[in-house]
Amino acid sequence: MSKLPTVVSTDCRTLEAARLLGMAVRSVQLMVDRGDLAAWKTPGGHRRIARSSVDRWLAARQGVAPAAQSAGGLPAGHTTAPMVSARAAGPAAGSGQVLVIEDSKHYQNLVALLLRAHFPNLAVTLADEGVSGLALAGQLQPQVLIVDILLPGIDGATLILSLRSHPQFAASRLIVITSLDEAEREAYRLALEGVAVVHKSRLVTELPARLREALGAGPAA
């Protein structure tokens, strides 16, 4: 019996695209709305996203051709920076500690790669939703928190306001990373006032400098 050829779908559902990109479904929806991903709707009203546009987006963000990427979305041969759990953190609380609160696996990996390349001596902890992130922030009292705005569990803006209003985190610096443009961020203006914000499309070029500033700065205002 001859083997049937493998058929690769040319489109995918929003949930499937989110899994491929390692993002939250809401983040993928925003990308479609901005035109970052090619999409259309079926006669039944269901959204379909072109698989080719997903592959192109991954390739553009990693700076490699799609064929050179591993199944996990990272360039072949690359691994994420070693992560330090809250219980196993070596340095004292706050000393050389960076907490990343981000639900997208893709951006967790990208931030980890950047930190590994530019700040190899930092202890990095990851949280993928707001509630656990807030708990880890209280436990670690990190020197820098890198926080997404759109988070499951607790809204990122609510988390940021909670951190900024608590004396326990007075010495922690905040960096917000987001896929929202300036108009979309207007709803979070109060939470973001005076906070360094890096758009996710510019993480590679802007995050290292922002983090360097935060590590060299004094207590947060």
Side-chain angles (χ1 to χ4, degrees):
M1 184 180 295
S2 61
K3 186 177 180 181
L4 293 175
T6 300
V7 178
V8 178
S9 176
T10 58
D11 58 60
C12 53
R13 299 178 180 179
T14 304
L15 180 58
E16 294 169 337
R19 288 172 178 168
L20 290 169
L21 295 170
M23 296 182 181
V25 169
R26 176 57 179 158
S27 297
V28 173
Q29 291 170 340
L30 287 171
M31 291 173 68
V32 170
D33 292 341
R34 291 197 306 268
D36 295 339
L37 297 174
W40 61 92
K41 286 188 177 181
T42 66
H46 300 290
R47 178 177 284 172
R48 294 291 184 268
I49 298 172
R51 176 63 186 267
S52 59
S53 71
V54 173
D55 292 339
R56 282 196 301 271
W57 191 92
L58 283 171
R61 289 301 177 270
Q62 299 299 341
V64 296
Q69 290 182 334
S70 66
L74 289 172
H78 284 253
T79 58
T80 59
M83 293 300 134
V84 182
S85 69
R87 290 184 294 275
S95 176
Q97 289 274 0
V98 174
L99 174 60
V100 181
I101 308 176
E102 165 63 64
D103 64 317
S104 163
K105 296 298 182 185
H106 170 75
Y107 285 113
Q108 284 183 1
N109 290 337
L110 180 56
V111 171
L113 285 170
L114 289 171
L115 295 185
R116 182 183 182 184
H118 294 273
F119 310 93
N121 295 323
L122 288 179
V124 181
T125 304
L126 295 178
D128 56 12
E129 53 90 20
V131 175
S132 62
L134 190 59
L136 282 171
Q139 183 177 351
L140 293 174
Q141 297 181 43
Q143 189 173 355
V144 179
L145 293 103
I146 300 175
V147 183
D148 190 8
I149 294 178
L150 301 177
L151 290 170
I154 180 175
D155 184 74
T158 302
L159 182 144
I160 292 167
L161 288 172
S162 298
L163 292 172
R164 298 182 72 184
S165 64
H166 202 294
Q168 183 179 11
F169 305 110
S172 296
R173 308 293 299 188
L174 275 169
I175 299 175
V176 166
I177 58 176
T178 182
S179 59
L180 303 180
D181 59 28
E182 290 188 15
E184 292 168 324
R185 295 199 296 264
E186 183 61 24
Y188 305 99
R189 181 170 52 85
L190 179 61
L192 298 178
E193 186 175 357
V195 176
V197 179
V198 178
H199 194 274
K200 287 183 176 179
S201 65
R202 298 189 292 272
L203 279 177
V204 173
T205 56
E206 294 186 8
L207 183 59
R210 290 291 193 177
L211 184 52
R212 192 170 290 110
E213 292 172 0
L215 291 169

